[in-house]
Amino acid sequence: MADESVSAPVVNDQDPAIAAADEMKLLGYAVQELPAHAVKDLFAHEVCVRCIFRLFNIHEEDMAIKSTEETVDVKSLHSSPELEVKSSICSVCLGVLQFSYLDERDTLLGKDHAEDFAMAVAESVKEKGHEIPSFTLEVSLPTLITENEQVILSYLKKKYASEVWFQEKFSSEHISVKDALKLSMTHPLEKLLGVKSGGSDFRIRLTYEHVDATSAENRTGKNQGNKRIKSDESNGLVKCSNGTMQSGDVSDINSPLRKVGQPCHMTLVCSRAPVFIGGRYLKFSRNVSQTRWIIDEERKGEASVEELIGGNILPMCNGDSYKFHAAGREDIDVRMLGSGRPFLVEIQNARFVPSEVSIKEMENKINSLESNLVRVRHLKVVGSQGWSLMREGEAEKQKQYAALVWISRPISDDDVEAVTSLKDLKVLQRTPVRVLHRRSPLDREKTIHWMKIEKIAGSCQYFLLHLCTQAGTYIKEFVHGDLGRTNPSIGSILGCRAEILQLDVTDVKMDTLTE
């Protein structure tokens, strides 16, 4: 591909004369390690000095510690027409290791050293307002870089494989463009951000995209199913994954080697792994849903547990969004009392990870809401394992309820004994009629661990039913039978019609998450 002039404005903090001198020094180090004709050959194909170092496993930092006066005659290099420093974009790294890139406004930015580029990255990270205890640097590159690199390597092997210097210097293992960039950036970023890198949930991601690579993929159907170019080490030919061969000779290297006229677009994104804040909630209203409930653009209920808790935690973490997870659910008209129901609030991209003091402030804020619809207990940061712990405990957890029940005849002492004597009662529940529109029609076997009846003074047909059940048991249906879809039921056990008037969850036994 022919070179194209770049009309975008260039921003470069370095004096061009100083930049050229630095490039000449690097070039001098390369000439010391490799024959001048080989360096010239690579320069003719617009391979930058850092890629020359990289392809032959020459470490730039080792070269930099050598004395310039002793090793490099900069003036003679400037006067050599064979080793003229070009300002073109590298045909291999596409400007990545030249620290040249286009920003989101298509402005061409250029940095001459890793330290300068790291400073620009660090300033951008700080502007996003993240609290940074440590960081992980991630880099994403276009596949064109890998493809062009394979073409160059194939060409070098075919042309120079018989020469002694090549046999001594060349290795099939060399550092990639991605790793080279990360190695050059990590230490300067550590100094500029004042934290260490590695194993962090805070990620700095540099994504490079190139318009030439994108347009070529579109023209060929996304590179014919991601068929990357690979080199055949035996004969120096360029082998495509579809089985075709292309020559890597200098006479036709311009055919498979796609030269570019401008560097990649680079975008920087900072993100943190989700922060999980867990606890238990209590719900005191029979008109509050667990999650936001909108049907036909009309809200059901006066509020939701999700919004009352998550909506107050999110701004204190300065996150992008949140997700609410709970260990089971209760209907909108069922109160959640006792010790409360375990829950997690998953904060996406939190700029601030709350401390114990901040967590206490969150808890106090939620519990001080004037509506007094919801309260929270045992609030704390539980880590990424919190979600797994809650899922693991679901099958084993038990729930206790208190239900106000009416039956169609007076209750007797024999009824009380009949119900109380039942232990670990197996109940087969077909999906209730009321949830068939959103649940699969299945038969589920559940266990009623124990029950007891508390009589209400002055009433012979009303009583409080206290029971402990396996998670996922439909309590309302266990009382009235759901037209025979739940068997046995309180109605069938007592041999009469039974209805549930009010229901409260009084305890959710689940020790793995919040106890």
Side-chain angles (χ1 to χ4, degrees), residues 3 55 230 295 348 429 470 505:
D3 290 347
L55 294 175
K230 298 180 180 180
I295 299 179
Q348 304 291 332
Q429 294 194 312
Q470 180 184 353
V505 186

Side-chain angles (χ1 to χ4, degrees), residues 195-247:
V195 295
K196 292 294 183 180
S197 68
S200 174
D201 62 356
F202 178 75
R203 300 182 290 270
I204 302 172
R205 185 173 183 83
L206 307 179
T207 300
Y208 289 84
E209 297 177 310
H210 202 280
V211 62
D212 290 342
T214 303
S215 61
E217 287 183 357
N218 290 337
R219 287 194 303 270
T220 61
K222 290 193 178 293
N223 201 22
Q224 297 181 358
N226 290 327
K227 295 173 181 175
R228 294 188 179 182
I229 296 176
K230 298 180 180 180
S231 62
D232 187 328
E233 296 183 5
S234 62
N235 56 19
L237 297 180
V238 179
K239 183 179 181 180
C240 298
S241 58
N242 61 6
T244 62
M245 304 293 294
Q246 297 179 14
S247 172

